[in-house]
Short mmCIF file of all heavy atoms in Angstrom, two decimals:
data_model
loop_
_atom_site.label_atom_id
_atom_site.label_comp_id
_atom_site.label_asym_id
_atom_site.label_seq_id
_atom_site.Cartn_x
_atom_site.Cartn_y
_atom_site.Cartn_z
N ALA B 359 14.40 44.21 10.60
CA ALA B 359 14.12 45.13 11.71
C ALA B 359 15.29 45.15 12.67
O ALA B 359 15.74 46.23 13.11
CB ALA B 359 12.84 44.70 12.43
N TYR B 360 15.81 43.94 13.00
CA TYR B 360 16.95 43.89 13.92
C TYR B 360 18.17 44.55 13.33
O TYR B 360 18.92 45.26 14.01
CB TYR B 360 17.23 42.44 14.34
CG TYR B 360 16.25 42.01 15.39
CD1 TYR B 360 15.06 41.40 15.06
CD2 TYR B 360 16.49 42.33 16.73
CE1 TYR B 360 14.12 41.09 16.03
CE2 TYR B 360 15.57 42.01 17.71
CZ TYR B 360 14.38 41.39 17.35
OH TYR B 360 13.45 41.10 18.31
N GLN B 361 18.40 44.33 12.04
CA GLN B 361 19.57 44.91 11.40
C GLN B 361 19.49 46.44 11.38
O GLN B 361 20.48 47.12 11.68
CB GLN B 361 19.71 44.37 9.97
CG GLN B 361 20.02 42.87 9.97
CD GLN B 361 20.38 42.34 8.60
OE1 GLN B 361 19.79 42.74 7.59
NE2 GLN B 361 21.34 41.44 8.54
N ILE B 362 18.31 46.96 11.06
CA ILE B 362 18.20 48.43 10.92
C ILE B 362 18.24 49.11 12.28
O ILE B 362 18.92 50.13 12.45
CB ILE B 362 16.93 48.82 10.13
CG1 ILE B 362 16.92 48.16 8.75
CG2 ILE B 362 16.81 50.34 10.02
CD1 ILE B 362 18.06 48.51 7.83
N SER B 363 17.52 48.57 13.27
CA SER B 363 17.58 49.20 14.61
C SER B 363 19.01 49.15 15.15
O SER B 363 19.48 50.10 15.78
CB SER B 363 16.62 48.50 15.59
OG SER B 363 15.29 48.85 15.33
N ALA B 364 19.72 48.04 14.87
CA ALA B 364 21.12 47.93 15.33
C ALA B 364 21.99 48.98 14.64
O ALA B 364 22.79 49.66 15.30
CB ALA B 364 21.65 46.51 15.06
N CYS B 365 21.83 49.12 13.33
CA CYS B 365 22.62 50.13 12.60
C CYS B 365 22.37 51.52 13.16
O CYS B 365 23.31 52.28 13.40
CB CYS B 365 22.26 50.11 11.11
SG CYS B 365 22.92 48.69 10.22
N HIS B 366 21.10 51.84 13.38
CA HIS B 366 20.79 53.17 13.92
C HIS B 366 21.47 53.41 15.25
O HIS B 366 22.01 54.50 15.49
CB HIS B 366 19.27 53.32 14.11
CG HIS B 366 18.51 53.50 12.84
ND1 HIS B 366 17.15 53.34 12.75
CD2 HIS B 366 18.91 53.80 11.58
CE1 HIS B 366 16.75 53.54 11.50
NE2 HIS B 366 17.82 53.82 10.78
N ALA B 367 21.44 52.39 16.11
CA ALA B 367 22.01 52.58 17.45
C ALA B 367 23.52 52.75 17.39
O ALA B 367 24.09 53.61 18.08
CB ALA B 367 21.63 51.39 18.34
N ILE B 368 24.20 51.94 16.56
CA ILE B 368 25.66 52.06 16.45
C ILE B 368 26.04 53.40 15.83
O ILE B 368 26.96 54.09 16.29
CB ILE B 368 26.24 50.90 15.61
CG1 ILE B 368 25.92 49.55 16.24
CG2 ILE B 368 27.74 51.09 15.39
CD1 ILE B 368 26.69 49.19 17.48
N GLU B 369 25.32 53.78 14.78
CA GLU B 369 25.61 55.06 14.12
C GLU B 369 25.38 56.22 15.09
O GLU B 369 26.15 57.19 15.10
CB GLU B 369 24.73 55.21 12.87
CG GLU B 369 25.15 54.24 11.75
CD GLU B 369 24.02 53.89 10.78
OE1 GLU B 369 22.95 54.53 10.81
OE2 GLU B 369 24.22 52.94 9.99
N ASP B 370 24.35 56.09 15.93
CA ASP B 370 24.08 57.12 16.94
C ASP B 370 25.23 57.20 17.93
O ASP B 370 25.74 58.29 18.23
CB ASP B 370 22.76 56.79 17.64
CG ASP B 370 22.39 57.80 18.71
OD1 ASP B 370 22.47 59.01 18.42
OD2 ASP B 370 22.00 57.39 19.83
N ALA B 371 25.70 56.04 18.38
CA ALA B 371 26.82 56.03 19.34
C ALA B 371 28.07 56.66 18.72
O ALA B 371 28.85 57.32 19.41
CB ALA B 371 27.12 54.59 19.79
N CYS B 372 28.27 56.47 17.44
CA CYS B 372 29.47 56.94 16.77
C CYS B 372 29.29 58.33 16.15
O CYS B 372 30.21 58.85 15.49
CB CYS B 372 29.92 55.94 15.71
SG CYS B 372 30.32 54.32 16.42
N GLY B 373 28.13 58.92 16.34
CA GLY B 373 27.90 60.28 15.86
C GLY B 373 27.84 60.41 14.35
O GLY B 373 28.21 61.44 13.79
N VAL B 374 27.36 59.36 13.68
CA VAL B 374 27.29 59.39 12.21
C VAL B 374 25.83 59.47 11.76
O VAL B 374 24.97 58.75 12.27
CB VAL B 374 27.94 58.11 11.63
CG1 VAL B 374 27.65 57.98 10.14
CG2 VAL B 374 29.44 58.12 11.88
N ARG B 375 25.58 60.37 10.83
CA ARG B 375 24.25 60.47 10.24
C ARG B 375 24.34 59.94 8.81
O ARG B 375 25.18 60.35 8.03
CB ARG B 375 23.80 61.94 10.25
CG ARG B 375 22.52 62.22 9.52
CD ARG B 375 21.32 62.05 10.44
NE ARG B 375 20.07 62.32 9.70
CZ ARG B 375 18.90 61.79 10.02
NH1 ARG B 375 18.81 60.98 11.04
NH2 ARG B 375 17.83 62.09 9.33
N VAL B 376 23.49 58.97 8.47
CA VAL B 376 23.53 58.32 7.16
C VAL B 376 22.76 59.18 6.15
O VAL B 376 21.68 59.68 6.47
CB VAL B 376 22.91 56.90 7.29
CG1 VAL B 376 22.74 56.25 5.94
CG2 VAL B 376 23.80 56.05 8.18
N PRO B 377 23.33 59.38 4.95
CA PRO B 377 22.65 60.25 3.98
C PRO B 377 21.32 59.69 3.47
O PRO B 377 21.09 58.48 3.52
CB PRO B 377 23.66 60.37 2.83
CG PRO B 377 24.64 59.26 3.02
CD PRO B 377 24.62 58.88 4.46
N GLU B 378 20.48 60.58 2.97
CA GLU B 378 19.11 60.23 2.57
C GLU B 378 19.04 59.07 1.56
O GLU B 378 18.19 58.19 1.72
CB GLU B 378 18.40 61.49 2.03
CG GLU B 378 16.94 61.28 1.64
CD GLU B 378 16.04 60.81 2.80
OE1 GLU B 378 16.39 61.04 3.97
OE2 GLU B 378 14.98 60.20 2.50
N PRO B 379 19.88 59.01 0.53
CA PRO B 379 19.76 57.89 -0.42
C PRO B 379 19.96 56.52 0.24
O PRO B 379 19.30 55.54 -0.12
CB PRO B 379 20.87 58.16 -1.44
CG PRO B 379 21.12 59.62 -1.35
CD PRO B 379 20.89 59.99 0.08
N VAL B 380 20.84 56.45 1.23
CA VAL B 380 21.04 55.19 1.95
C VAL B 380 19.82 54.90 2.82
O VAL B 380 19.35 53.75 2.91
CB VAL B 380 22.33 55.24 2.80
CG1 VAL B 380 22.42 54.04 3.74
CG2 VAL B 380 23.57 55.28 1.90
N ARG B 381 19.27 55.94 3.43
CA ARG B 381 18.06 55.74 4.25
C ARG B 381 16.92 55.24 3.37
O ARG B 381 16.13 54.38 3.78
CB ARG B 381 17.64 57.05 4.93
CG ARG B 381 18.68 57.57 5.93
CD ARG B 381 18.22 58.86 6.58
NE ARG B 381 17.04 58.61 7.41
CZ ARG B 381 16.20 59.55 7.80
NH1 ARG B 381 16.37 60.80 7.43
NH2 ARG B 381 15.18 59.26 8.54
N GLN B 382 16.82 55.77 2.15
CA GLN B 382 15.77 55.33 1.21
C GLN B 382 15.93 53.85 0.88
O GLN B 382 14.95 53.11 0.82
CB GLN B 382 15.87 56.13 -0.10
CG GLN B 382 15.59 57.59 0.06
CD GLN B 382 14.30 57.99 -0.65
OE1 GLN B 382 13.67 57.16 -1.30
NE2 GLN B 382 13.90 59.23 -0.51
N LEU B 383 17.18 53.44 0.68
CA LEU B 383 17.43 52.03 0.35
C LEU B 383 17.08 51.14 1.55
O LEU B 383 16.55 50.04 1.40
CB LEU B 383 18.89 51.87 -0.06
CG LEU B 383 19.26 50.64 -0.91
CD1 LEU B 383 18.35 50.48 -2.12
CD2 LEU B 383 20.72 50.73 -1.35
N ARG B 384 17.36 51.64 2.76
CA ARG B 384 16.94 50.90 3.96
C ARG B 384 15.43 50.77 4.01
O ARG B 384 14.88 49.73 4.37
CB ARG B 384 17.44 51.61 5.23
CG ARG B 384 18.91 51.40 5.49
CD ARG B 384 19.31 52.05 6.80
NE ARG B 384 20.71 51.73 7.09
CZ ARG B 384 21.43 52.35 7.99
NH1 ARG B 384 20.90 53.33 8.72
NH2 ARG B 384 22.68 52.00 8.20
N ARG B 385 14.73 51.89 3.68
CA ARG B 385 13.26 51.83 3.72
C ARG B 385 12.75 50.82 2.70
O ARG B 385 11.81 50.07 2.95
CB ARG B 385 12.64 53.21 3.48
CG ARG B 385 11.14 53.24 3.82
CD ARG B 385 10.53 54.64 3.78
NE ARG B 385 11.49 55.61 4.26
CZ ARG B 385 11.88 56.67 3.59
NH1 ARG B 385 11.35 56.94 2.41
NH2 ARG B 385 12.76 57.48 4.10
N LEU B 386 13.38 50.80 1.53
CA LEU B 386 12.97 49.85 0.48
C LEU B 386 13.12 48.41 0.98
O LEU B 386 12.23 47.57 0.81
CB LEU B 386 13.82 50.08 -0.77
CG LEU B 386 13.49 49.22 -1.98
CD1 LEU B 386 12.08 49.52 -2.49
CD2 LEU B 386 14.51 49.44 -3.11
N LEU B 387 14.26 48.12 1.59
CA LEU B 387 14.50 46.79 2.15
C LEU B 387 13.43 46.46 3.19
O LEU B 387 12.86 45.37 3.23
CB LEU B 387 15.90 46.77 2.80
CG LEU B 387 16.31 45.51 3.54
CD1 LEU B 387 16.49 44.34 2.59
CD2 LEU B 387 17.62 45.75 4.32
N TYR B 388 13.15 47.45 4.06
CA TYR B 388 12.17 47.28 5.14
C TYR B 388 10.77 47.05 4.58
O TYR B 388 9.98 46.28 5.12
CB TYR B 388 12.19 48.52 6.04
CG TYR B 388 12.14 48.22 7.52
CD1 TYR B 388 13.08 48.78 8.40
CD2 TYR B 388 11.14 47.43 8.07
CE1 TYR B 388 13.03 48.53 9.77
CE2 TYR B 388 11.09 47.19 9.43
CZ TYR B 388 12.04 47.74 10.27
OH TYR B 388 11.99 47.49 11.62
N CYS B 389 10.43 47.73 3.46
CA CYS B 389 9.13 47.51 2.80
C CYS B 389 8.99 46.04 2.43
O CYS B 389 7.92 45.44 2.59
CB CYS B 389 8.98 48.38 1.54
SG CYS B 389 8.68 50.11 1.90
N GLY B 390 10.09 45.44 1.96
CA GLY B 390 10.07 44.02 1.63
C GLY B 390 9.71 43.19 2.85
O GLY B 390 8.91 42.25 2.77
N GLU B 391 10.30 43.54 4.00
CA GLU B 391 10.01 42.78 5.21
C GLU B 391 8.56 42.96 5.66
O GLU B 391 7.92 42.02 6.12
CB GLU B 391 10.98 43.17 6.33
CG GLU B 391 10.75 42.36 7.60
CD GLU B 391 11.98 42.27 8.47
OE1 GLU B 391 12.91 41.53 8.09
OE2 GLU B 391 12.01 42.94 9.52
N TRP B 392 8.04 44.20 5.57
CA TRP B 392 6.62 44.41 5.92
C TRP B 392 5.72 43.57 5.02
O TRP B 392 4.78 42.94 5.48
CB TRP B 392 6.25 45.91 5.78
CG TRP B 392 6.52 46.72 7.00
CD1 TRP B 392 7.48 46.47 7.94
CD2 TRP B 392 5.82 47.89 7.42
NE1 TRP B 392 7.42 47.45 8.92
CE2 TRP B 392 6.42 48.33 8.62
CE3 TRP B 392 4.77 48.63 6.91
CZ2 TRP B 392 5.99 49.47 9.31
CZ3 TRP B 392 4.34 49.77 7.58
CH2 TRP B 392 4.94 50.18 8.77
N ILE B 393 6.00 43.55 3.72
CA ILE B 393 5.16 42.79 2.78
C ILE B 393 5.24 41.29 3.11
O ILE B 393 4.22 40.61 3.28
CB ILE B 393 5.62 43.03 1.32
CG1 ILE B 393 5.46 44.51 0.95
CG2 ILE B 393 4.83 42.15 0.35
CD1 ILE B 393 6.20 44.92 -0.33
#
Side-chain angles (χ1 to χ4, degrees):
Chain B
Y360 281 91
Q361 294 189 321
I362 303 299
S363 285
C365 286
H366 286 164
I368 300 286
E369 290 155 11
D370 180 46
C372 299
V374 169
R375 173 88 180 153
V376 172
E378 183 60 23
V380 170
R381 296 180 66 200
Q382 294 248 357
L383 201 50
R384 283 184 175 166
R385 192 172 324 125
L386 183 64
L387 175 68
Y388 223 128
C389 285
E391 182 155 287
W392 273 28
I393 298 165

